[in-house]
Amino acid sequence: MQRRHALLSLALSIGASFGAQAQGPDWPQRPIKLIVPYAPGGSADIAARLVTDEWAKKLGGVMVVDNRAGAGGNLGVDAVAKSAPDGYTIGLQTVSLAINPALTPKMPYDTLKDLAPIGMVASSQHVLVVTNSLPAKDVKSLIALLKAEPGKHNYASAGGGSTFHMAAELFKANADVPLVHIPYRGGGPALVDTIGGQVSLSFPVLSAALPQVQGGKLRALGVTGTKRSPLMPDVPTLAEAGLANYSFETWFMVFAPAATPKAVIDKLNASLNEALKSPAVAARMTKEGFDPIPSTPEQARARLEKELPQWGRLIKERGIKAD
């Protein structure tokens, strides 16, 4: 019994010391690992690398991006959820943080209970693009064509449950059109086959679509956000084009394990917001098709709490499945 009490006292002592070190004024004292749950080169990886150097500088430390792809992003997020809550392992995930729980029967973590949002990073629009062989020149004529030829047209996504997939399903629901889903293993192959005409249309992220549209390989009919993109000023939003209730953007959020001390969360958040407001980071993000979103941890959590049930309803109503 005495030995048990001694071990408990030691554990409490270590925990108190750990918490004090984590919250100390000299934190961070070693490099911070930012886990991105996708392969290098994707939108999440680009967003992370656009901000980490300036973020680390404002924080007074070192930040290293660690790509851990797998399970639609769940593998990397789970690694963050189960890491030590000391602020030295954090993660960056897309809107899939709110989408995946409804797609995955047995989630390895609880989004709201196991993660502590640090803040929003940025958002990025998707673009409705059609293959050049399709006669539709605008959204209205595309919808008319799809309704006139049911079963003939399909769309490419970066995989079941991907943001490409969600953007297209929202389009189908708002426009009430028949479209066959063709999932690919990544956004690159999906875009290639849209260019080649193997599929009729797709919803790539703006940064990926831009060079193909500018090069005349694809026709852009609408962007998915609430405002036009300065990179495609002549392309209307889908709401402007007639789908009044349509709005979709991929957002990026950073988070830590749930038990991370508030002082650490606040320090990470303040330095992140400083980095996002710096002219250099803002300019680089705009060039790549991102809009910086400085926020508080509470605002980031509120966004999660709002969108989790929204995506859950859409996924259930549309019968959407992950690969």
Side-chain angles (χ1 to χ4, degrees):
M1 181 66 72
Q2 289 180 340
R3 183 170 182 272
R4 185 180 300 169
H5 283 309
L7 288 172
L8 178 59
S9 297
L10 178 61
L12 290 173
S13 175
I14 291 172
S17 173
F18 169 81
Q21 288 177 4
Q23 297 181 58
D26 295 332
W27 187 92
Q29 297 178 344
R30 65 176 190 268
I32 295 169
K33 186 187 300 178
L34 177 64
I35 293 179
V36 175
Y38 302 103
S43 58
D45 181 67
I46 293 170
R49 294 178 191 277
L50 284 171
V51 75
T52 45
D53 285 350
E54 190 67 20
W55 187 6
K57 190 184 300 181
K58 299 295 185 184
L59 186 62
V62 176
M63 198 168 288
V64 180
V65 175
D66 180 1
N67 296 92
R68 297 196 196 181
N74 286 336
L75 187 67
V77 175
D78 188 46
V80 176
K82 291 180 171 56
S83 65
D86 54 11
Y88 288 109
T89 300
I90 60 177
L92 181 147
Q93 173 60 307
T94 69
V95 65
S96 293
L97 201 60
I99 293 171
N100 284 353
L103 288 173
T104 309
K106 294 182 179 180
M107 285 287 286
Y109 58 89
D110 185 301
T111 306
L112 293 177
K113 292 181 180 179
D114 296 334
L115 303 174
I118 294 167
M120 305 303 298
V121 177
S123 65
S124 179
Q125 299 203 54
H126 287 244
V127 185
L128 165 57
V129 294
V130 298
T131 184
N132 283 332
S133 60
L134 211 65
K137 303 298 182 183
D138 53 35
V139 173
K140 185 177 180 180
S141 60
L142 173 65
I143 292 173
L145 177 68
L146 297 177
K147 288 183 175 181
E149 300 178 337
K152 181 178 178 180
H153 298 284
N154 49 27
Y155 74 89
S157 84
S162 65
T163 54
F164 284 53
H165 189 186
M166 296 298 123
E169 287 298 322
L170 275 176
F171 174 75
K172 284 175 64 178
N174 276 269
D176 190 25
V177 292
L179 270 173
V180 179
H181 176 214
I182 308 295
Y184 286 77
R185 292 190 177 277
L191 204 55
V192 167
D193 272 12
T194 309
I195 293 170
Q198 283 80 12
V199 291
S200 299
L201 57 94
S202 185
F203 281 81
V205 291
L206 191 148
S207 56
L210 186 62
Q212 310 306 330
V213 172
Q214 290 175 334
K217 295 181 179 180
L218 288 171
R219 189 183 310 122
L221 301 188
V223 293
T224 63
T226 57
K227 60 183 180 181
R228 296 191 183 201
S229 168
L231 300 179
M232 290 184 176
D234 296 331
V235 179
T237 67
L238 289 177
E240 287 177 323
L243 300 181
N245 297 320
Y246 190 100
S247 175
F248 177 78
E249 292 180 334
T250 292
W251 48 252
F252 305 86
M253 180 185 295
V254 286
F255 50 89
T260 305
K262 185 177 185 301
V264 171
I265 296 291
D266 289 344
K267 191 169 184 179
L268 284 164
N269 173 264
S271 52
L272 170 63
N273 287 340
E274 284 185 52
L276 292 174
K277 292 174 183 177
S278 74
V281 170
R284 288 198 297 269
M285 283 197 164
T286 300
K287 185 179 179 181
E288 293 290 341
F290 296 95
D291 290 318
I293 314 176
S295 75
T296 65
E298 292 75 21
Q299 287 170 332
R301 175 171 287 276
R303 188 158 192 169
L304 263 183
E305 291 174 344
K306 177 184 177 183
E307 294 198 18
L308 276 163
Q310 290 177 344
W311 287 113
R313 284 193 297 272
L314 178 75
I315 288 165
K316 184 177 180 180
E317 290 169 1
R318 308 294 297 181
I320 299 170
K321 304 293 182 182
D323 290 341

